[in-house]
Amino acid sequence: SYGRGGGLKGMEGPNNGQVEGGADANQFSGSSSMTFTTEQYDRIVKIAHADHMYGPLSARMAFPFDLLVRSMCPSIIGHDCVKAGILLGLLGGTPSLEDGIGSGVGGSRNYQCSIRSNIHILVVGDPGMGKSQMLLGATQVASRSVYVGGNTSSTTGLTISLTKEQGGETGIEAGALVLADQGVCCIDEFDKMAKSNQDGLLEAMEQQQISIAKAGVVASLPARCSVIAAANPKQGSYNMGKSVAENLNIPPPLLSRFDLVFILRDRSNLEQDKLVSGNIMALYQSRKDKGGGNGEMDEFMNRHEADMMKSVSDGNSTSNSNVPMKIRLPWIVDTQNPLPANVVKDYIMYAKEYCKPKLTGEAAAILKDYFMSLRYPEDGSQKSGSMPITTRQLEALIRLSQARAKACLREFVLKEDAEDVVELMRDSVDQIHMDNDGNIDRTRGGVMGKSKR
């Protein structure tokens, strides 16, 4: 059912205080050595099987997903869509194999081509928007994580380096991307990296491996990790009169490998500034003095409650209606406390190891329709050779929807998962294609997009 986790795998029963992966889990992920204590298992079950009702609303929400987003870097106010994208990047999609073009003797398969299931996120924003804090928050809840700075990293530090051992033998030392295999690599100050260092990421982000051919050593090491990067615009603040490619010092092939690109602008907003300033002051106050500063938050959340009620009433809400994330997620901030980081980490570890959701026909139709609407806009703004939407965006939609289903520990991707992913992708695409006047120009976005100025 919607909002309720699917069948939990790998949790057969207590064994000396631990619960080990069972046969059902090994069917999907091989022989797993991951173990959970009974206390960790109980916490995962409570989160996965939690149904939440928003007061008098009759709509049932995907409470596990919303609660996990609420628990991502709770010290940062707002940026809920960015936190949702980072959470999906930590969960990742379902690994799949595609038959290779070659065939063996007797028609048997010769090899299989692996399709990338990891999700790459890029956060571009003005200084002071909390990008680095969100990256640090992602490293705290990831099962395996590596945090590096783009201004202090080199190509060999990110990929592979060769060393001379005693006796004349050549040794291979793994870099950050190899060390983050089956995890996440967070790169801060992504725009400060030299172009030669950025080129070293191309193979790792798409083929999920790093190859080397030096000094008689030819080898390939796995780098199956998600890349979550944060960058600042070249001129200090993001210029909406220019495209993303013109604002960043990043080559187009590398920019095209990111599934989601978020743009954070420091704009004057009275309500948001009250929330941010109140939250910062609360961090420096003692607990006994924090009780009197919730007036702005209560007023803000009351307004969101009214918006949510209006959204549901306008859509003729039923038990399966879906309230947009932009209305749901701010409401969670006031109604629920964030989960501890260790609980979120255990939940993500379990979801990545044992949950392998499959795409349903209903969800696939929603994703396909949205992809076709991007390729062929209704306003007829498509021009030959200028449309930046490719099949990579369709694969990104599939990966994101699978990660969205993982957040609820479901075995199948439902319609609600696809709707949330389309909303998230639409928000990202609109930010990329929006000009300085707030108009959507589909020809100026993407990796090769150019502004008309």
Side-chain angles (χ1 to χ4, degrees), residues 43 104 110 277 283 286 424:
R43 291 175 179 174
N110 189 18
S277 59
L283 295 176
S286 60
L424 196 63

Side-chain angles (χ1 to χ4, degrees), residues 204-382:
M205 292 182 65
E206 189 64 32
Q207 279 72 39
Q208 300 289 274
Q209 67 177 8
I210 296 176
S211 304
I212 186 172
K214 291 182 180 178
V217 176
V218 180
S220 297
L221 297 182
R224 297 159 296 181
C225 64
S226 298
V227 176
I228 302 178
N232 293 320
K234 291 188 298 185
Q235 299 178 352
S237 61
Y238 193 87
N239 187 357
M240 295 299 294
K242 297 182 178 180
S243 64
V244 178
E246 293 172 332
N247 272 279
L248 300 179
N249 190 22
I250 297 177
L254 182 60
L255 187 60
S256 67
R257 282 162 166 77
F258 288 98
D259 299 311
L260 288 174
V261 178
F262 295 101
I263 299 174
L264 303 180
R265 299 179 61 198
D266 188 8
R267 293 179 292 184
S268 299
N269 189 310
L270 181 60
E271 297 180 359
Q272 185 69 18
D273 291 343
K274 285 183 178 180
L275 292 176
V276 173
S277 59
N279 180 68
I280 294 176
M281 296 303 297
L283 295 176
Y284 291 91
Q285 292 178 354
S286 60
R287 293 188 176 182
K288 63 181 180 180
D289 296 333
K290 290 183 180 180
N294 294 329
E296 292 85 359
M297 178 65 75
D298 293 339
E299 180 182 356
F300 179 77
M301 297 317 302
N302 289 336
R303 187 177 296 106
H304 270 276
E305 180 180 6
D307 293 341
M308 182 181 294
M309 294 290 291
K310 184 177 184 299
S311 175
V312 175
S313 61
D314 292 344
N316 297 324
S317 172
T318 62
S319 59
N320 292 325
S321 63
N322 188 27
V323 177
M325 287 191 303
K326 285 189 176 181
I327 300 178
R328 290 197 333 250
L329 296 180
W331 176 259
I332 287 290
V333 176
D334 187 58
T335 57
Q336 297 293 331
N337 294 323
L339 296 171
N342 60 334
V343 177
V344 179
K345 183 176 182 178
D346 294 339
Y347 192 93
I348 293 177
M349 288 174 58
Y350 179 83
K352 288 193 65 173
E353 185 71 17
Y354 299 115
C355 188
K356 312 294 180 182
K358 300 179 179 61
L359 198 65
T360 60
E362 188 177 18
I366 295 177
L367 300 180
K368 180 181 177 181
D369 292 343
Y370 176 67
F371 172 73
M372 295 302 294
S373 67
L374 291 177
R375 290 282 295 179
Y376 304 95
E378 296 180 356
D379 56 1
S381 59
Q382 182 192 16

Side-chain angles (χ1 to χ4, degrees), residues 107-130:
S108 60
R109 290 176 297 182
N110 189 18
Y111 68 94
Q112 287 184 325
C113 178
S114 176
I115 300 176
R116 172 167 69 96
S117 62
N118 293 315
I119 299 171
H120 305 313
I121 308 295
L122 176 62
V123 183
V124 184
D126 300 339
M129 299 301 292

